[in-house]
Amino acid sequence: MPDTLLPRPGSASPLSWIGDLTRVPYWVYRDGALPKVEQEQIFEGPVWNYLCLEDEIANPGDWRTTVVGRMPVVVTRDNDGSIAAFENRCAHRGSLICLDDAGKEATDFQCVYHAWRYDLRGNLQSVAFQRGVKGKGGMPPDFRVKDHGPRQLRVTSLHGLVFGTFSDETPAIEDFIGPEVLTRFDRILGGRRIEIIGRFVEVLPNNWKMYAENARDSYHASLLHLFFATFKLNRLSQGGGLVVSPNGGCSVSETIAPTETEDKAYAGIRSVDEDYTLKDMRLMDVVDEHPDRVRHQIVTVFPNFVLQKTQNAMAIRFFTPNAVDRTHLEWIYFGYTDDTPEMRKRRLRHLNLGGPAGFVSMEDGCVGGFVERGIATAERESAIVGMGGAGVESQATRATEAAVRGFWSMWRRMTGL
């Protein structure tokens, strides 16, 4: 059932959400007051934000920078082997503490601006010239370094993926994701050690929530993506379905390998082009690594994380807002550390399906911009999100927008809009 409507905070736009989850008002993508609300209520709220792979910070002193929404964050491996994460902001004047993307063998961090020093957990350790010089200047006598420092996150790991939260109210990550979605995590990552084999970054010309919808939108995949439909990698007429977590914000879309050689369901559909061929058919060479014949699987975790497996390519998609109409999208491709040389080559070939110029994903990189342009003067209008009904329940079909509605149900609960 659609969520009960909650009062809208006075800090946001005077526009309002009228109706249920099958009508998404376009102002939610364009309202300039929403980034602050989303940062405070969602990204810094009771959610698990993806931070990095454990493999990226494998040894004590290893660290990596990332973002939680718009907040810069540092993730580290402490000397005792534990993982820590803290805001990448000096307590003194607000400068970044770590300027690079990543590093190794750090013993501490020193702000480049005024040399305030932090340990690997983000605790302030010392202040340059705290007692002044020759008895003059310095900090007040009652200043205590332990009372100051950047905000710290609570962290957890799931199958080698590191997540963090600022909220004490965030449930255990297994409960947040839900048992059915967690099972699909286990399918890809359970019992296997992973390593990064490639990564891309792209900037999308649209609001971050459009991409959150896109990742959950099983309806669009074979209608937008010519490669999927033409080569029968993903069609709605194939088997599969959609799983939505109890909180609505996490989901799984699965496509089963085709069982019929002839499929007339897509006759006349734009995304099927029989003249579109490959010179190297090795891109279609797939090995079933699981007994379920699932060839395409998309797992989402609210608010901005995607785990996917397409053919034999496995990837993480992590997207964050740059501006109201700009989204930073990072693709992180990985394999298993015990991959055979042949399987690693196959995974690398299948990388060509995703990424900024992927045979499949390139359309996702521009379609959000088409929507942004289309709704330029339509803040008082709404998108129709009614495929598969009005609810957010799991369904034995991908001809549904239940996971998109699930995203919005959680977004509304967290923002109070």
Side-chain angles (χ1 to χ4, degrees):
M1 295 292 293
D3 282 11
T4 300
L5 300 186
L6 299 173
R8 184 181 174 85
S11 61
S13 164
L15 298 172
S16 60
W17 187 315
I18 300 174
D20 61 20
L21 296 171
T22 67
R23 297 295 184 271
V24 178
Y26 291 129
W27 60 257
V28 299
Y29 310 108
R30 304 179 64 81
D31 188 339
L34 282 180
K36 185 175 187 297
V37 174
E38 292 171 339
Q39 180 66 33
E40 295 174 351
Q41 301 300 320
I42 295 179
F43 296 108
E44 296 177 38
V47 303
W48 286 107
N49 297 278
Y50 170 76
L51 300 178
C52 67
L53 273 70
E54 285 193 34
D55 185 58
E56 296 181 89
I57 50 170
N59 302 305
D62 291 353
W63 57 273
R64 182 163 187 84
T65 58
T66 184
V67 289
V68 169
R70 293 177 294 120
M71 179 193 293
V73 166
V74 183
V75 194
T76 69
R77 179 78 67 170
D78 203 357
N79 292 321
D80 63 1
S82 63
I83 297 173
F86 55 91
E87 184 180 14
N88 190 6
R89 174 189 58 83
C90 182
H92 179 215
R93 299 273 289 278
S95 172
L96 292 173
I97 298 170
C98 297
L99 303 180
D100 295 327
D101 291 336
K104 294 182 177 296
E105 301 180 353
T107 56
D108 57 19
F109 300 106
Q110 191 172 111
C111 176
V112 67
Y113 200 176
H114 297 94
W116 286 33
R117 187 175 61 85
Y118 301 83
D119 67 16
L120 294 177
R121 305 195 75 83
N123 300 308
L124 181 61
Q125 297 296 293
S126 65
V127 171
F129 300 110
Q130 180 178 347
R131 303 305 178 198
V133 179
K134 297 182 180 181
K136 297 181 180 180
M139 300 298 288
D142 62 351
F143 179 86
R144 299 189 302 174
V145 295
K146 68 178 183 179
D147 293 339
H148 303 275
R151 291 172 284 184
Q152 299 180 5
L153 292 85
R154 179 161 58 97
V155 298
T156 192
S157 293
L158 181 64
H159 293 314
L161 309 181
V162 182
F163 294 83
T165 181
F166 282 100
S167 174
D168 293 333
E169 299 177 0
T170 310
I173 194 166
E174 294 83 0
D175 297 329
F176 183 83
I177 292 174
E180 287 193 84
V181 176
L182 188 62
T183 298
R184 275 63 175 194
F185 255 93
D186 296 343
R187 174 184 181 269
I188 299 177
L189 300 175
R192 307 292 293 273
R193 185 180 173 188
I194 60 177
E195 61 184 2
I196 295 174
I197 61 175
R199 65 196 318 155
F200 305 100
V201 173
E202 62 181 306
V203 177
L204 306 177
N206 53 264
N207 184 270
W208 74 273
K209 298 184 292 295
M210 289 185 186
Y211 197 74
E213 289 180 315
N214 178 277
R216 292 164 170 80
D217 181 4
S218 55
Y219 175 41
H220 89 280
S222 60
L223 300 173
L224 173 66
H225 301 303
L226 181 146
F227 197 95
F228 266 163
T230 298
F231 292 102
K232 300 180 182 179
L233 297 184
N234 186 344
R235 290 187 176 192
L236 293 174
S237 50
Q238 295 170 210
L242 188 75
V243 174
V244 183
S245 63
N247 64 17
C250 308
S251 65
V252 183
S253 172
E254 295 177 327
T255 304
I256 306 297
T259 57
E260 300 177 0
T261 56
E262 186 175 359
D263 180 7
K264 297 182 180 180
Y266 277 68
I269 297 291
R270 179 207 60 84
S271 57
V272 176
D273 185 348
E274 301 298 343
D275 294 327
Y276 190 73
T277 60
L278 289 171
K279 289 185 177 180
D280 187 350
M281 291 301 294
R282 289 182 300 169
L283 191 60
M284 306 302 295
D285 171 33
V286 61
V287 172
D288 282 318
E289 299 181 78
H290 312 280
D292 51 22
R293 290 184 58 77
V294 172
R295 295 289 176 82
H296 182 63
Q297 183 180 61
I298 302 292
V299 182
T300 74
V301 176
F302 188 92
N304 60 338
F305 172 85
V306 178
L307 171 69
Q308 71 178 63
K309 187 169 187 177
T310 302
Q311 302 287 78
N312 293 114
M314 300 182 291
I316 289 166
R317 287 185 266 163
F318 168 58
F319 52 98
T320 52
N322 272 3
V324 174
D325 60 352
R326 288 292 182 275
T327 298
H328 179 98
L329 169 61
E330 185 170 359
W331 292 81
I332 305 168
Y333 284 97
F334 62 90
Y336 301 128
T337 55
D338 59 357
D339 278 343
T340 65
E342 292 76 15
M343 178 56 78
R344 182 57 57 87
K345 289 180 181 179
R346 182 178 291 106
R347 295 198 201 284
L348 291 171
R349 280 199 302 272
H350 290 177
L351 295 189
N352 289 290
L353 298 174
F359 287 122
V360 174
S361 298
M362 59 181 174
E363 292 101 339
D364 289 330
C366 61
V367 72
F370 298 164
V371 177
E372 287 280 4
R373 290 158 62 187
I375 66 174
T377 60
E379 279 93 347
R380 296 183 182 276
E381 304 296 327
S382 298
I384 301 170
V385 189
M387 288 293 292
V392 299
E393 68 279 354
S394 302
Q395 298 185 22
T397 179
R398 286 170 292 112
T400 177
E401 293 166 314
V404 178
R405 292 189 293 272
F407 170 85
W408 285 113
S409 71
M410 194 163 185
W411 183 90
R412 295 184 76 179
R413 287 196 305 274
M414 298 194 73
T415 59
L417 301 182

